[in-house]
Amino acid sequence: HALVVLLPLADPRVREAVAESDAAGALVALDLYGRAVKATSLSFTVADVTGDAQPLVWVNPAFTAATGYSFEDVVGRNCRFLQGPDTDPTGPAQMREAIERGEPCRATLLNYRKDGTPFWNQVDLSPVRDGGGEVTHYVGIQTDVTERMDAELAMFRALQAEKRARSDAEEVRSRLTFLVEAVNRLSGTLDITLCTERLLELVVPELADWALVMHVDENQSLVGTSAIHRDPERRVQVDELAAALPGAMRPGSLVDVLLRGEDVRLIDLRNRPDAMAARAGYLRDLSFTELTADLEGVSAMCVALSGRSTVREILALVRGPQRPAFTTEDVGVGRDLGHRAGLIFDNARLYEAQRLIAETLQRSLLPELPVVDGLDVAARYHAGDGDAQVGGDFYELTTYDDGAVGVAIGDVVGHDVLATAAMGHLKGMLRALAHTADDAASEPGRLLDRLDELLGRVGIDTMATAVQARLERAAGGWDLQWANAGHPPPVLRLPDGTTELLGDGHHDLMLGAGGSVRTTHRRFLPAGSTLVLYTDGLVEHRTRTLDQGLREIQAIVAAIDGDAATTCDALFGADIAGPTDDDVAAIVVRLP
């Protein structure tokens, strides 16, 4: 704002007053200046700054109209009477400093009228100097800028609201991104140990400087702890703390003692009386806090990893002095992470339990191999990589009263518990038939035919492949009889290292197909020969043909001139089939 006063210097009275410094003319000139200042709509004030009080000595009518204070109300008082409870002290301080330096100044501050209503006042101060150059007065021009300030404040509030909304949205996005990554990384495995490692690597350093995962048993007693620190050089320290934690905790349910029944709990780790008192609630050995102090733990957040019915893991996140302490906003992230991670840990635990039960069931159906004079026998079983971890593969070695030895391998269609159950029935019936058969019925082909007939009679609706073999002692070796019901051909290794597929790959119909008379094949096996029976999981794979698998297994058997166990180890160690959903069984008979 600017004030322009046009003075008619052509008026003789003014000209003479200026030229001759006539007192009366000067008064006329001053009167003209005064009338001009009074006539303006801008508020004018004049303050005497020669003393500490700095009172107003004059105000124009526009000031009294704008503030509601009369001339008599304000003259002789410091202008601070315009200030109120919400006036920012920055503006008045700025004006005081300018007056002390004798400089002009502009400030905008919240003032109050005589009736108490607030208004935004823009004050322009200009110094007035005497003939010696000393500042004696200050002229103030005051402008009501309430509308402008209200508009600016509204815009500022809108910008701040937008900024907060953007920050909140970014925080939510970051939180969701973190949780999605957590789920993706943790759900990629069903191994508890690997889940624990991935969780710790996820939260450090994203959420904490170091962290612990505490494992509890069915009674929620602490049974194990895993730890990680963002600084590799301090991982030994955090491992020592993890090892000492079980002995330092109070007995009882860790959920009750540490979490006090909550999903998430914030804990102050500083050595303050109230914090130490809180830690005494879950620590029976308070010297444990020295380990926490050595690791510069300041703030902790303990999170229950909740499964479907119980808590089996608790995650402790710890921050040092370089990071802000955990807040209530962090509690929300911890609670979400705890629910999601808890379900994944729960799934992994259920999977491990199912796998253990399945493998125990499967192996309980596989026999302990009897010791047979003159034979070196070994067998192996490997569960598939699929969900069921069980299947219908089986092997059998049986000795007969006449000194003969029966060897069988089979595979019931399917890779689940039903296949395992069917396998148990089939294997039991095959063993019973082999032990009760007369000489004619003991031939392998006839034995498989009778088994096929019996399956239909008892209503077992299943299909399976099998090889049934019979070994009888002979001069210089053993006589072999075998029959093949849709199964991969046995591999024979002769003493000179050559191999062949018995039956040249020929086989009869699989069990359950019905209406088949299976052929009994015969072959003499010289001493030093090795007979390998196996299931299709060892040779069939989606990345290669069956013929390729058969050639590879022949090559492995040909290369091994050792006992039966060595041959088994070579077959399974070679992993010639690669990862497979199918289970694999093999039995090796060597004639030393």
Side-chain angles (χ1 to χ4, degrees):
H1 297 280
L3 173 65
V4 180
V5 181
L6 304 179
L7 300 176
L9 296 182
D11 188 317
R13 294 175 299 172
V14 177
R15 183 173 62 252
E16 292 173 2
V18 173
E20 300 176 4
S21 298
D22 176 67
L27 289 174
V28 171
L30 290 173
D31 181 58
L32 286 172
Y33 283 110
R35 282 185 285 126
V37 172
K38 288 180 180 180
T40 181
S41 62
L42 295 175
S43 298
F44 275 81
T45 60
V46 179
D48 182 356
V49 296
T50 56
D52 293 335
Q54 299 180 353
L56 295 174
V57 297
W58 183 83
V59 296
N60 72 342
F63 176 85
T64 61
T67 65
Y69 290 97
S70 67
F71 187 89
E72 291 75 13
D73 290 335
V74 300
V75 171
R77 298 173 63 186
N78 188 286
C79 62
R80 284 191 294 270
F81 64 84
L82 292 174
Q83 299 173 22
D86 292 330
T87 301
D88 187 346
T90 304
Q94 179 184 352
M95 292 190 294
R96 285 194 301 271
E97 293 172 0
I99 292 173
E100 291 174 359
R101 294 192 300 268
E103 299 174 350
C105 174
R106 168 177 288 183
T108 301
L109 58 158
L110 185 65
N111 283 165
Y112 292 82
R113 299 183 179 90
K114 188 174 183 179
D115 63 5
T117 58
F119 70 101
W120 285 99
N121 190 9
Q122 179 179 288
V123 181
D124 289 271
L125 296 179
S126 300
V128 178
R129 303 179 185 275
D130 61 12
E134 296 294 327
V135 177
T136 60
H137 295 77
Y138 259 85
V139 174
I141 302 176
Q142 304 184 15
T143 307
D144 187 339
V145 293
T146 301
E147 291 185 2
R148 189 191 80 195
M149 290 298 297
D150 286 346
E152 290 180 358
L153 285 174
M155 181 178 293
F156 175 76
R157 294 189 187 100
L159 290 174
Q160 290 298 104
E162 180 185 358
K163 184 178 180 180
R164 286 194 300 272
R166 188 180 294 113
S167 176
D168 291 344
E170 180 64 24
E171 182 179 348
V172 170
R173 187 193 67 80
S174 176
R175 174 177 171 180
L176 290 175
T177 300
F178 171 75
L179 292 174
V180 168
E181 181 184 359
V183 171
N184 289 339
R185 292 184 63 181
L186 295 179
S187 60
T189 179
L190 288 173
D191 180 84
I192 293 291
T193 301
L194 192 54
C195 273
T196 301
E197 293 175 359
R198 290 184 178 183
L199 178 60
L200 290 173
E201 291 171 355
L202 183 73
V203 298
V204 175
E206 181 72 22
L207 297 180
D209 294 317
W210 49 281
L212 307 170
V213 172
M214 293 165 274
H215 304 278
V216 300
D217 58 16
E218 294 82 356
N219 300 320
Q220 295 185 334
S221 298
L222 184 60
V223 293
T225 308
S226 303
I228 191 174
H229 198 289
R230 68 182 304 168
D231 184 356
E233 295 183 357
R234 308 196 74 172
R235 292 195 177 179
V236 173
Q237 284 182 273
V238 80
D239 287 340
E240 292 175 353
L241 180 143
L245 183 60
M249 296 295 296
R250 289 189 177 277
S253 166
L254 195 63
V255 174
D256 295 333
V257 172
L258 182 59
L259 293 175
R260 299 183 300 192
E262 301 174 4
D263 290 338
V264 182
R265 180 186 178 187
L266 299 182
I267 298 176
D268 187 350
L269 297 180
R270 292 172 293 181
N271 290 330
R272 303 189 312 180
D274 55 342
M276 293 295 290
R279 275 180 278 174
Y282 60 86
L283 289 177
R284 62 182 176 185
D285 182 5
L286 288 179
S287 65
F288 180 80
T289 59
E290 297 176 4
L291 297 174
T292 306
D294 290 342
L295 286 165
E296 299 180 319
V298 173
S299 174
M301 180 168 67
C302 294
V303 181
L305 306 188
S306 305
R308 292 171 179 81
S309 59
T310 187
V311 174
R312 294 293 297 275
E313 278 82 25
I314 296 176
L315 173 65
L317 305 170
V318 186
R319 289 180 177 175
Q322 290 76 27
R323 301 178 70 163
F326 287 105
T327 64
T328 53
E329 287 77 12
D330 296 316
V331 168
V333 177
R335 183 173 288 110
D336 284 345
L337 177 63
H339 290 325
R340 297 168 190 259
L343 288 175
I344 293 173
F345 272 86
D346 205 23
N347 289 339
R349 187 169 288 104
L350 290 173
Y351 174 79
E352 287 192 356
Q354 175 185 329
R355 178 176 181 175
L356 178 61
I357 292 172
E359 287 191 0
T360 302
L361 171 62
Q362 180 81 41
R363 295 186 185 282
S364 69
L365 296 173
L366 298 175
E368 290 289 335
L369 298 178
V371 177
V372 180
D373 290 339
L375 291 182
D376 174 21
V377 183
R380 298 285 187 275
Y381 173 81
H382 173 71
D385 296 323
D387 294 336
Q389 292 294 324
V390 293
D393 289 15
F394 70 92
Y395 55 81
E396 182 78 68
L397 183 73
T398 305
T399 58
Y400 301 122
D401 293 339
D402 60 1
V405 177
V407 184
I409 191 88
D411 183 2
V412 176
V413 173
H415 308 116
D416 52 23
V417 175
L418 294 178
T420 304
M423 178 267 285
H425 288 300
L426 187 147
K427 188 167 69 75
M429 288 188 290
L430 181 60
R431 177 183 293 183
L433 290 172
H435 278 283
T436 59
D438 54 24
D439 292 342
S442 64
E443 289 187 358
R446 180 61 182 141
L447 201 60
L448 292 180
D449 289 342
R450 292 182 62 197
L451 176 61
D452 202 359
E453 180 183 355
L454 186 58
L455 288 174
R457 287 184 178 181
V458 299
I460 297 179
D461 185 16
T462 188
M463 299 187 73
T465 66
V467 170
Q468 176 69 34
R470 179 182 176 88
L471 288 166
E472 296 180 356
R473 300 175 190 271
W478 293 69
D479 288 327
L480 170 67
Q481 301 177 23
W482 83 93
N484 188 330
H487 200 80
V491 175
L492 174 63
R493 184 187 189 277
L494 296 172
D496 61 1
T498 60
T499 62
E500 61 180 84
L501 300 177
L502 291 182
D504 292 328
H506 168 78
H507 56 74
D508 296 315
L509 287 178
M510 62 193 304
L511 299 173
S516 175
V517 177
R518 293 168 181 86
T519 303
T520 297
H521 305 273
R522 292 174 171 79
R523 173 70 183 270
F524 174 73
L525 304 183
S529 300
T530 300
L531 179 65
V532 179
L533 289 78
Y534 54 92
T535 57
D536 58 359
L538 197 64
V539 292
E540 289 184 339
H541 192 259
R542 57 182 174 271
T543 61
R544 64 153 180 259
T545 66
L546 175 61
D547 289 341
Q548 289 174 324
L550 292 174
R551 286 195 295 270
E552 289 184 25
I553 193 173
Q554 282 186 264
I556 292 173
V557 173
I560 302 299
D561 185 16
D563 58 17
T566 302
T567 302
C568 274
D569 292 340
L571 290 173
F572 282 78
D575 195 23
I576 62 173
T580 177
D581 292 340
D582 201 359
D583 49 340
V584 181
I587 183 168
V588 177
V589 180
R590 185 170 184 270
L591 313 177

